[in-house]
Amino acid sequence: PGEAAEYDLWLGIFLKEPNNREGNLIGDGGVYYLLLSTEWPNLSYRIKEQYWNRGYATEFVRAFMRFWWRIPRHPQLKKLTIHPATLNAQDSPDQEVRERVYISVTHGNLANQKVLTKAGFEKFEGMGEGTTHWRMIREN
């Protein structure tokens, strides 16, 4: 009580067999740093190398984000202390802003940057050097 707790939501990424059964585990992903009082959730995912460049990462990120935004929210958990760089220019740190999820990717990882663009994330600046930072803002 009184301290922030960390929670993760981490899922396996499986292929689907032609009979709609669960196939091979090809990766994992989800959100972490689900602190009750600080930071937006941080997205992460990993796909086994032999499955790269087949669209699985994009499919996972799109499906996960659809799932994530549908999870019911509790109004008392809305107040967070967040990094100002995660806000848009029109947002005010003193006012309520729409929820967002963010992810950081190394500058040279163009494949992951392409995945995030396809999945609807937008790039933003100001969170540190050596990586690009991406966010998705909840629609409603």
Side-chain angles (χ1 to χ4, degrees), residues 23-66:
N24 291 334
L25 176 69
I26 64 167
D28 58 16
V31 290
Y32 61 97
Y33 293 146
L34 301 179
L35 299 178
L36 296 181
S37 63
T38 62
E39 294 299 331
W40 300 112
N42 194 330
L43 176 70
S44 184
Y45 57 91
R46 301 177 292 197
I47 303 287
K48 292 179 182 177
E49 190 171 355
Q50 65 263 35
Y51 297 101
W52 289 2
N53 300 313
R54 297 185 186 183
Y56 297 131
T58 303
E59 184 177 353
F60 169 74
V61 171
R62 285 177 174 161
F64 183 84
M65 294 310 301
R66 280 191 308 272

Side-chain angles (χ1 to χ4, degrees), residues 58-77:
T58 303
E59 184 177 353
F60 169 74
V61 171
R62 285 177 174 161
F64 183 84
M65 294 310 301
R66 280 191 308 272
F67 163 76
W68 177 253
W69 296 133
R70 289 182 180 136
I71 295 174
R73 302 306 197 261
H74 298 284
Q76 68 273 19
L77 299 180

Side-chain angles (χ1 to χ4, degrees), residues 12-131:
I13 301 171
F14 294 86
L15 290 178
K16 186 178 1 174
E17 297 293 330
N19 60 6
N20 285 330
R21 291 184 172 232
E22 188 175 281
N24 291 334
L25 176 69
I26 64 167
D28 58 16
V31 290
Y32 61 97
Y33 293 146
L34 301 179
L35 299 178
L36 296 181
S37 63
T38 62
E39 294 299 331
W40 300 112
N42 194 330
L43 176 70
S44 184
Y45 57 91
R46 301 177 292 197
I47 303 287
K48 292 179 182 177
E49 190 171 355
Q50 65 263 35
Y51 297 101
W52 289 2
N53 300 313
R54 297 185 186 183
Y56 297 131
T58 303
E59 184 177 353
F60 169 74
V61 171
R62 285 177 174 161
F64 183 84
M65 294 310 301
R66 280 191 308 272
F67 163 76
W68 177 253
W69 296 133
R70 289 182 180 136
I71 295 174
R73 302 306 197 261
H74 298 284
Q76 68 273 19
L77 299 180
K78 281 187 176 181
K79 190 168 184 167
L80 299 174
T81 303
I82 56 160
H83 193 292
T86 65
L87 299 174
N88 291 335
Q90 66 271 21
D91 291 332
S92 168
D94 299 327
Q95 295 177 338
E96 186 173 319
V97 297
R98 288 183 292 161
E99 180 184 352
R100 50 209 71 195
V101 170
Y102 72 93
I103 182 171
S104 298
V105 177
T106 58
H107 286 303
N109 194 336
L110 301 179
N112 272 330
Q113 293 180 45
K114 187 175 178 182
V115 165
L116 296 171
T117 299
K118 286 181 181 180
F121 279 74
E122 63 180 17
K123 191 188 282 192
F124 70 96
E125 304 292 331
M127 290 272 298
E129 296 184 25
T131 55

